[in-house]
Amino acid sequence: MPSPFPGMDPYLEGYLWPDVHHALASKIRQQLTPKLRPRYTARLEVYVAEDRFPESEIGILYPDVEVMQVRQRQGKQTTTPYTSASSSTLTITPASLTLPMLQPVPVRLATVEIRDTAENLLVTSIEIISPANKREPGLTAYRQKRQRLYQAGVHLLEFDLLRRGIRPFSHPNLPDVAYAIALTRSHSGVMDIWTLRLEDTLPIIPVPLRFPDADVALDAPTIMREVYDEAAYDLSINYNEPPPPPTLSDVEQQWLERQLM
């Protein structure tokens, strides 16, 4: 069964997101490859980041059993009483116990890299923003990566399909919307942004290459539809429950209820 949403499905932003993230990257590569050859290739760059502060994602992205790991350090307790110098009162030293602590969570992230086949140089980086990229310390690290790519003359295409967290490419003139896609062409000083509400269909996006080669089109609506259908996400989602946080606005909630009728 297809998704009831015309664009991004907010129900995919919870525990399904890691699977969605990698499926999107793979599908983007699959669609772009025949359009890029023979001068360019699309490669998946998978790396592991450490989510050092996963507290806000417990019950949303991370099931409790995967995160709540207690450090196995046995508390020390002294039970031998001693006599106070001023009286015969017995005093017991209190036990020192280690409290449960959240362990850093390793997160596998996938980026689509477009490289020229002649020199294997990185031309365009397609980033799918993860929750760890939208809060500290990952937010600062990701923004530093954006700056390095820009200074290296790499085109940057970013998909922010998560409503929670701080948008890494925020701008004073950027409206408060559910989702956004940003394209920064190398050394242009300009960022093109597609702002998307829940009810909006994803756009067809130009993917820039090296001059004088023309942009190639990325059909985001088809990619999202195929990812949803191939993974059969409808079998894992209960649309009778609210979507993952954050809470929808009144306008969004009313639209969602009409959409799911």
Side-chain angles (χ1 to χ4, degrees), residues 100-155:
M101 298 184 67
L102 298 182
Q103 303 298 300
V105 177
V107 181
R108 290 171 55 85
L109 303 175
T111 296
V112 182
E113 294 185 344
I114 297 177
R115 295 179 174 271
D116 73 338
T117 53
E119 300 178 0
N120 195 38
L121 294 177
L122 180 60
V123 175
T124 306
S125 180
I126 303 177
E127 302 281 345
I128 302 168
I129 308 299
S130 76
N133 298 139
K134 301 189 69 176
R135 52 184 163 77
E136 297 296 356
L139 176 62
T140 295
Y142 179 77
R143 284 175 168 169
Q144 292 171 345
K145 177 183 179 181
R146 295 180 78 248
Q147 188 65 25
R148 289 194 301 270
L149 290 171
Y150 184 79
Q151 292 174 348
V154 177
H155 305 299

Side-chain angles (χ1 to χ4, degrees), residues 38-260:
R39 290 173 56 81
Y40 303 92
T41 61
R43 296 286 182 256
L44 292 185
E45 177 69 19
V46 180
Y47 61 98
V48 178
E50 191 176 74
D51 191 352
R52 292 166 53 193
F53 302 102
E55 292 89 345
S56 62
E57 295 292 339
I58 296 174
I60 305 173
L61 186 66
Y62 306 130
D64 292 358
V65 294
E66 294 182 3
V67 178
M68 295 299 295
Q69 300 176 2
V70 180
R71 290 182 178 176
Q72 299 299 318
R73 189 179 72 186
Q74 186 176 9
K76 296 180 181 180
Q77 180 177 5
T78 303
T79 58
T80 304
Y82 67 91
T83 302
S84 171
S86 59
S87 70
S88 59
T89 304
L90 296 181
T91 303
I92 304 298
T93 302
S96 176
L97 302 177
T98 301
L99 296 175
M101 298 184 67
L102 298 182
Q103 303 298 300
V105 177
V107 181
R108 290 171 55 85
L109 303 175
T111 296
V112 182
E113 294 185 344
I114 297 177
R115 295 179 174 271
D116 73 338
T117 53
E119 300 178 0
N120 195 38
L121 294 177
L122 180 60
V123 175
T124 306
S125 180
I126 303 177
E127 302 281 345
I128 302 168
I129 308 299
S130 76
N133 298 139
K134 301 189 69 176
R135 52 184 163 77
E136 297 296 356
L139 176 62
T140 295
Y142 179 77
R143 284 175 168 169
Q144 292 171 345
K145 177 183 179 181
R146 295 180 78 248
Q147 188 65 25
R148 289 194 301 270
L149 290 171
Y150 184 79
Q151 292 174 348
V154 177
H155 305 299
L156 178 60
L157 179 58
E158 300 167 281
F159 287 81
D160 186 359
L161 302 178
L162 296 166
R163 291 171 296 120
R164 64 187 181 276
I166 300 173
R167 191 151 282 144
F169 46 85
S170 58
H171 188 276
N173 296 329
L174 185 64
D176 185 15
V177 291
Y179 311 112
I181 300 171
L183 172 60
T184 306
R185 296 176 184 268
S186 65
H187 300 311
S188 66
V190 176
M191 180 170 57
D192 297 322
I193 299 182
W194 291 261
T195 57
L196 303 167
R197 301 167 300 171
L198 283 181
E199 58 264 40
D200 290 332
T201 301
L202 298 182
I204 295 176
I205 308 159
V207 178
L209 304 172
R210 277 184 158 183
F211 180 82
D213 296 324
D215 299 346
V216 296
L218 182 63
D219 187 348
T222 297
I223 287 174
M224 182 59 70
R225 182 173 60 253
E226 291 180 352
V227 163
Y228 187 96
D229 292 343
E230 290 174 9
Y233 287 132
D234 60 294
L235 301 179
S236 300
I237 295 174
N238 182 359
Y239 286 108
N240 293 319
E241 297 180 350
T247 303
L248 299 176
S249 68
D250 291 341
V251 173
E252 290 173 330
Q253 183 62 39
Q254 291 170 7
W255 179 87
L256 182 142
E257 291 173 359
R258 292 194 301 270
Q259 191 71 11
L260 296 180

